[in-house]
Amino acid sequence: MRAPVCAALLLWALSDAAARQFSEEQMAAVRQRIRSMFYHAYNSYLNNAFPYDELRPLTCDGQDTWGSFSLTLIDALDTLLVLGNQTEFQRVASLLQDTVDFDIDVNASVFETNIRVVGGLLSAHLLAGRAGMELEPGWPCSGPLLRMAEDAARKLLPAFQTPSGMPYGTVNLMHGVSPTETPVTCTAGVGTFILEFAALSRLTGDPTFEDAARRALSALWKTRSDIGLVGNHIDIVTQKWVAQDAGIGAGVDSYFEYLVKGAVMLQDQELLSMFRAYDGAIQNYTRFDDWYLWVQMHKGTVTMPVFQSLEAFWPGLQSLLGDLDGAVRTFQNYYSVWRQFGGLPEFYSITQGYTVDKREGYPLRPELIESAMYLFRATGDHTYLQFGLDAVESIERIAKTPCGYASVKDLRDHQLDNRMESFFLAETVKYLYLLFDPAHFLHGGGTEGSGSWEEGGDVGQCVLGAGGFIFNTEAHPLDPAALHCCSRSAQERQEIRDILLSLSQPASQSGRPASQEEDLPESQSESIALKPGEKKTRPPLSCPVQPFSARLSVLGQVFSDNT
């Protein structure tokens, strides 16, 4: 193992980084470089690739990749507002409403369509107020972008109509799931829906989406091994594991991410308990010297001693839970790989200290930048700003072309690939910008947009932006306060209707109205925290709507005192 070499490189890197402190003027200058990076790529897409999904930066044309949605434009929409461009946000939001149609004969990835399209439209809808758009009465509980997100999500629902509730990986947007569709899908493709689907249900009042996401999570939870791990690919029909490698990287990563972020956004202790159980097994069986290896899910024996670039989200997730020591050490390992190559190869052999054959590429992924943003917010350590500057300079030097930014095919010789993934504008550029803008409204500041607080809901009775924002795995920010506003208002209206209805019905033997003794929906009755046979009870009526407040991710204090 080349650990001593990496350790020496790391110590040099950290001492070099620690010596530099960034002034406000220097941070502003880096933000301007990042803006220029965004507009070089964005304008190239508009001029040469729209309405295709993605730009091909070497041939300066476009291609459809994930479903013919003008995907880059949807993915980049909220980034426009992050950079402060309200005018272009308004133009693109109107353009998408006029041009995007989800009723098309296309086979689409359920996972990718959810995180990029549904997530992007939801985020744009929730940010529309800050963008100066004309809002419908009752926003954020209604609006054209919300209806677009709902339309896209409904096209995905047939994939969830399985005996287990776990979804197929692909669905035809017009005809549903093909009879020849494979039942094998990755773990992340089962467990990465709760943020978007719960947001949809709570904004629209339709529980169908959240019910589907929770049923899939429940089914996946029941398949974990005796030592508490899950594998990489599962047969959703037989519920048998096809690939039994357990880790935190590709095929699994966002499942764990959504348990934590879902717990924060929804104030859901059960989701956090599920993650805590997994994390215990992960720390026991997969962590070695603050690297995370792949192991056999039943035995815990090492199967692949590699680091994957998709694992670089993990330090950020650790910081959200308050484990800063572990997050810092793991980030340092990953940063040492970045400095070795000027980017993160898709696979890196920890034992050999080098890239893995045929996995030498870097498609401009955002995960390590995302972790740097969280860790800088948590620690104030300018090491993470130095990394961010390294990332900007590496991408400019290696990947910039006259027509955008190209994925790096091979980090060893910097060969380029003819593709610019939509996540470059949705995630990589956004996280870089937010890293260098700690006062941004998405962090709870008020330097962009119309300030930190907004009114929403009927007659403006809800405070929005009050509890910070939760980023989905495509870096689309969602506002927990908006979800609380819409769902609480709808819940209280339903409670009033139930009470009025109960007054006209005879009481049961228990003394309660018969309507209240009916079984709750399955999604409300199944719980890992309840004993077999127990069911959740409806909360008592409480009005008026309570103001929303929460302590979000401060050293693990995720939940509010009274939610």
Side-chain angles (χ1 to χ4, degrees), residues 350-428:
I350 298 170
T351 56
Q352 297 178 351
Y354 207 63
T355 61
V356 174
D357 187 38
K358 299 182 181 179
R359 294 292 188 272
E360 306 93 345
Y362 171 55
L364 310 183
R365 292 198 186 278
E367 283 76 15
L368 193 59
I369 301 166
E370 175 188 8
S371 286
M373 182 196 73
Y374 283 118
L375 283 167
F376 179 62
R377 293 289 298 160
T379 67
D381 188 340
H382 283 219
T383 297
Y384 305 106
L385 296 181
Q386 181 60 52
F387 162 72
L389 182 58
D390 289 348
V392 170
E393 293 178 342
S394 290
I395 293 170
E396 288 279 289
R397 182 176 64 255
I398 297 172
K400 188 174 183 179
T401 75
C403 194
Y405 292 85
S407 298
V408 181
K409 187 175 182 179
D410 192 330
L411 278 170
R412 298 171 302 177
D413 57 12
H414 298 165
Q415 292 182 55
L416 298 180
D417 201 2
N418 195 18
R419 187 174 185 185
M420 187 180 79
E421 290 254 22
S422 70
F423 60 63
F424 177 68
L425 295 181
E427 299 186 77
T428 306

Side-chain angles (χ1 to χ4, degrees), residues 264-340:
V264 176
M265 187 180 80
L266 304 175
Q267 298 288 279
D268 192 316
Q269 182 66 51
E270 294 178 17
L271 297 179
L272 185 61
S273 297
M274 293 167 76
F275 176 79
R276 292 291 192 193
Y278 281 128
D279 190 42
I282 289 168
Q283 300 302 323
N284 284 337
Y285 293 102
T286 75
R287 183 171 66 87
F288 296 87
D289 293 331
D290 297 303
W291 296 96
Y292 290 84
L293 312 184
W294 289 85
V295 303
Q296 211 282 338
M297 65 177 289
H298 297 287
K299 301 176 182 178
T301 54
V302 175
T303 58
M304 291 189 296
V306 300
F307 157 65
Q308 298 178 348
S309 62
L310 283 171
E311 298 172 15
F313 81 100
W314 191 258
L317 199 67
Q318 288 177 297
S319 72
L320 282 176
L321 293 165
D323 180 14
L324 291 180
D325 289 341
V328 167
R329 291 194 300 270
T330 299
F331 183 91
Q332 290 170 353
N333 283 342
Y334 300 167
Y335 189 7
S336 71
V337 177
W338 180 285
R339 291 192 69 99
Q340 187 177 351

Side-chain angles (χ1 to χ4, degrees), residues 7-21:
L9 176 63
L10 173 62
L11 290 175
W12 173 81
L14 293 179
S15 62
D16 177 67
R20 177 168 187 182
Q21 295 290 306

Side-chain angles (χ1 to χ4, degrees), residues 544-557:
V545 174
Q546 300 294 320
F548 177 83
S549 63
R551 302 191 303 272
L552 289 182
S553 59
V554 180
L555 294 180
Q557 295 179 348

